[in-house]
């Protein structure tokens, strides 16, 4: 019974805005991701079935969240797995619930459960087109060993992808190495690894491809001091640590105590060392503090509208108003300008999971104008297909991502560098697809690529 109670608590937390699915599931200590995700995916259908069967009216002590979880597993999942009075209650009403589901199918003129879902839930544009991206945590293992592990698990490895279309065609138990990012494996949409030993041991990180771009493009050299300004839930922080090879110092800030506690656990599981977490608004951090005198790199992924997030588990949300966008953009301009004021800064990556120009190109353009010639926008990752909107001269140097064009969540990334002494740092930026240098290792034009060293630690089954 504890499993279903915990899943219902996650649903209730989502409704309160207490966090995202992954963070709340992680806090629950139960392997709930698949159950919660599928309950959310079927949520509109479950609401119709519950209303038609009048279950909540008949069982006054049953919460709507718990009812959804129980009825999902009873009608659409693997069947109720645990005992207790709630299981007996659900089975008592089984005939009524199944009859209501059958009536719903007749009304909708469908024969399969999947056909009851709206297009975006069932596999239309967006949600189920986005593959499952798996970032190999090189602090604990290497790409070759993870590939070998999945092969032993019955997956077929198809090699490095040659195009986005090749990623789009993945199905079954097949997977590819991503065409852009060297430590990213790609599986068919909605492949679930939350209970896999590689995930629970921190050998792999489940992270969308677009979310991997900020740390990848910041590309701090091993030994550097780095700030992750708005760090929780910590995937980008762990990516930074892997790029740094745990050599250096990461200062990570977030204002939410619970998110920081979850992040701390996740970072330790990933084998991250050399980090300091602080419950602090980045805007209150003093750039003149001697503690940050060596900070040469900043990753800035501030609060945004989230309009680019492809909902694998759709939750209806109104588009932000013009006033809301302006308020967000004002905060984003302020925090970006604050990041550029750190005296030793050489490179800053600004990113959002927003599609709105107001939060992206307009913010970067305004701050660059404010700082005059002190910083420049880098033409990052020339091989990336989607560029910034033409909001100001040079905005095409920015990167955009979307479910339709790059098979990722919607994202925006801009790389800013200090002019003058810092200009030389641009040579260490990752190059175009198929010509990616080691993280933090610069390559002059025409130089031969360096061979990656194979990590010695093996993945254990």
């Amino acid at each position: 019974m504890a499993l279903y109670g915990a899943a219902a608590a996650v649903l209730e937390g989502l409704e309160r805005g207490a966090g995202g699915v992954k963070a709340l599931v992680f806090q629950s200590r139960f392997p709930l991701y698949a159950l919660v995700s599928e309950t959310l995916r079927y949520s509109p259908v479950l609401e119709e079935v519950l209303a038609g069967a009048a279950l909540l009216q008949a069982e006054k002590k049953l919460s709507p969240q718990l009812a959804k979880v129980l009825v999902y597993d009873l009608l659409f999942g693997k069947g109720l797995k645990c005992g207790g009075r709630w299981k007996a209650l659900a089975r008592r009403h089984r005939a009524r619930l199944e009859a209501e589901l059958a009536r719903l199918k007749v009304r909708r003129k469908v024969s399969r459960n999947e056909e009851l879902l709206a297009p975006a839930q069932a596999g239309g544009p967006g949600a189920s087109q986005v593959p499952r991206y798996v970032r190999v945590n090189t602090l604990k293992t290497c790409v070759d060993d993870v590939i070998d592990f999945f092969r032993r698990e019955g997956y077929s490895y198809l090699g490095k992808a040659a195009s986005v279309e090749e990623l789009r065609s993945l199905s079954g138990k097949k997977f590819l190495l991503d065409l852009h990012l060297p430590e990213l494996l790609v599986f068919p949409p909605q492949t679930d690894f939350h209970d896999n030993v590689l995930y629970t041991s921190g050998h792999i990180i489940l992270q969308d491809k677009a979310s991997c771009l900020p740390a990848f493009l910041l590309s701090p050299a091993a030994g550097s001091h780095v700030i992750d300004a708005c760090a929780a839930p910590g995937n980008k922080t762990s990516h930074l640590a892997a790029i740094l090879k745990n050599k250096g110092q990461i200062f990570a800030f977030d204002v939410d105590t619970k998110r920081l506690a979850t992040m701390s656990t996740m970072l330790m599981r990933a084998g991250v060392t050399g980090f300091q977490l602080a419950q602090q608004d980045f805007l209150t951090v003093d750039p003149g503090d001697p503690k940050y005198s060596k900070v040469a790199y900043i990753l800035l992924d501030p609060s945004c509208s989230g309009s680019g997030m492809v909902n694998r588990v759709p939750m209806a949300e109104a588009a932000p108003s013009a006033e809301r966008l302006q308020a967000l953009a004002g905060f984003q301009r302020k925090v970006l300008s604050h990041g550029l004021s750190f005296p030793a800064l050489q490179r800053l990556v600004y990113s959002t999971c927003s599609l709105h120009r107001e939060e992206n190109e307009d913010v970067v353009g305004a701050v660059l104008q404010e700082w005059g010639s002190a910083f420049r926008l880098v033409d990052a990752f020339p091989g990336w297909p989607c560029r910034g909107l033409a909001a100001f001269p040079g905005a095409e140097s920015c990167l955009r991502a979307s479910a339709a064009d790059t098979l990722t969540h919607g994202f925006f990334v801009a790389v800013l560098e200090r002019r003058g002494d810092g200009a030389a740092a641009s040579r260490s930026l990752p190059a175009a697809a198929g010509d990616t240098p080691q993280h933090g290792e610069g390559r002059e034009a025409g130089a031969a690529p360096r061979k990656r060293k194979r990590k010695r630690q093996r993945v254990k089954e």
Side-chain angles (χ1 to χ4, degrees), residues 52-67:
L55 181 62
L56 295 174
Q57 287 76 17
E59 302 291 345
K60 301 292 186 184
K61 293 183 179 180
L62 186 63
S63 73
Q65 296 86 3
L66 183 54

Side-chain angles (χ1 to χ4, degrees), residues 23-202:
L24 291 172
V25 166
F26 188 80
Q27 290 169 16
S28 76
R29 309 288 181 182
F30 284 91
L32 296 172
Y33 187 83
L35 175 59
V36 171
S37 296
E38 288 301 295
T39 301
L40 284 167
R41 194 161 73 103
Y42 275 90
S43 184
V45 179
L46 291 167
E47 287 170 2
E48 286 198 54
V49 171
L50 287 169
L55 181 62
L56 295 174
Q57 287 76 17
E59 302 291 345
K60 301 292 186 184
K61 293 183 179 180
L62 186 63
S63 73
Q65 296 86 3
L66 183 54
K68 282 185 181 180
V69 173
L70 290 169
V71 175
Y72 167 76
D73 234 10
L74 181 71
L75 298 182
F76 304 101
K78 298 177 181 178
L80 294 169
K81 305 181 196 65
C82 46
R85 62 194 183 97
W86 297 122
K87 179 179 179 179
L89 178 151
R91 286 186 166 173
R92 207 162 51 238
H93 295 277
R94 182 172 195 156
R96 248 197 314 171
L97 291 164
E98 287 178 340
E100 189 55 39
L101 176 61
R103 280 193 287 271
L104 182 59
K105 287 180 178 177
V106 170
R107 288 199 301 271
R108 300 273 188 89
K109 299 180 181 179
V110 301
S111 58
R112 296 187 306 114
N113 292 337
E114 278 281 322
E115 293 172 328
L116 290 169
L117 299 174
Q121 296 166 287
S128 62
Q129 284 189 4
V130 176
R132 163 63 70 194
Y133 293 102
V134 171
R135 178 168 63 80
V136 176
N137 179 13
T138 55
L139 294 175
K140 287 197 162 187
T141 184
C142 67
V143 172
D144 289 344
D145 285 356
V146 172
I147 289 171
D148 289 344
F149 176 90
F150 281 120
R151 278 173 163 165
R152 294 195 298 274
E153 293 272 294
Y155 288 86
S156 299
Y157 176 57
L158 305 180
K160 182 176 178 178
S163 67
V164 170
E165 288 307 312
E166 201 170 346
L167 302 183
R168 201 185 303 273
S169 65
L170 273 176
S171 63
K173 297 192 75 171
K174 297 175 183 176
F175 71 109
L176 290 155
L177 181 66
D178 185 64
L179 69 159
H180 292 116
L181 303 183
E183 286 140 14
L184 200 64
L185 301 176
V186 191
F187 292 79
Q190 298 176 14
T191 306
D192 186 18
F193 290 123
H194 286 85
D195 296 334
N196 189 284
V197 64
L198 290 191
Y199 174 73
T200 57
S201 64

Side-chain angles (χ1 to χ4, degrees), residues 133 181 208-214 236 384 401 408-411 413:
Y133 293 102
L181 303 183
D208 184 67
K209 177 176 175 176
S211 176
C212 295
L213 288 173
K236 296 182 184 71
W384 189 257
T408 66
H409 288 291
F411 228 77
V413 186

Side-chain angles (χ1 to χ4, degrees), residues 191-341:
T191 306
D192 186 18
F193 290 123
H194 286 85
D195 296 334
N196 189 284
V197 64
L198 290 191
Y199 174 73
T200 57
S201 64
H203 284 70
I204 61 173
I205 310 292
L206 305 181
Q207 184 175 0
D208 184 67
K209 177 176 175 176
S211 176
C212 295
L213 288 173
F216 178 74
L217 292 174
L218 189 63
S219 192
S224 301
H225 284 208
V226 183
I227 281 178
D228 190 349
C230 307
N235 282 343
K236 296 182 184 71
T237 316
S238 69
H239 196 182
L240 287 171
I243 293 167
L244 290 168
K245 303 173 186 173
N246 265 342
K247 297 174 182 176
Q249 183 66 53
I250 299 174
F251 302 98
F253 302 96
D254 203 273
V255 295
D256 191 300
T257 309
K258 289 184 178 179
R259 281 162 59 90
L260 279 176
T262 302
M263 177 177 170
S264 178
T265 304
M266 189 274 281
L267 292 178
M268 288 188 285
R269 184 179 69 185
V272 177
T273 60
F275 66 92
Q276 292 184 24
L277 300 186
Q279 184 193 353
Q280 186 175 358
D281 183 343
F282 178 60
L283 283 171
T284 68
V285 178
D286 180 8
D289 189 327
K291 182 193 293 188
Y292 310 119
S293 62
K294 295 182 181 178
V295 169
Y297 301 90
I298 292 179
L299 193 156
L300 177 57
D301 189 57
S303 299
C304 71
S305 65
S307 56
M309 296 303 290
V310 174
N311 291 323
R312 298 179 197 277
V313 284
M315 311 235 347
E317 192 171 305
S321 64
E323 292 77 14
R324 170 69 173 153
L325 280 178
Q326 286 308 313
L328 284 167
F331 163 74
Q332 291 152 355
R333 286 194 298 271
K334 190 181 297 185
V335 77
L336 176 54
S337 187
H338 184 67
L340 296 180
S341 68

Side-chain angles (χ1 to χ4, degrees), residues 418-436:
R418 189 182 297 277
R419 290 184 183 272
D421 294 340
S426 65
R427 289 198 296 270
S428 66
L429 274 172
D435 189 29
T436 307

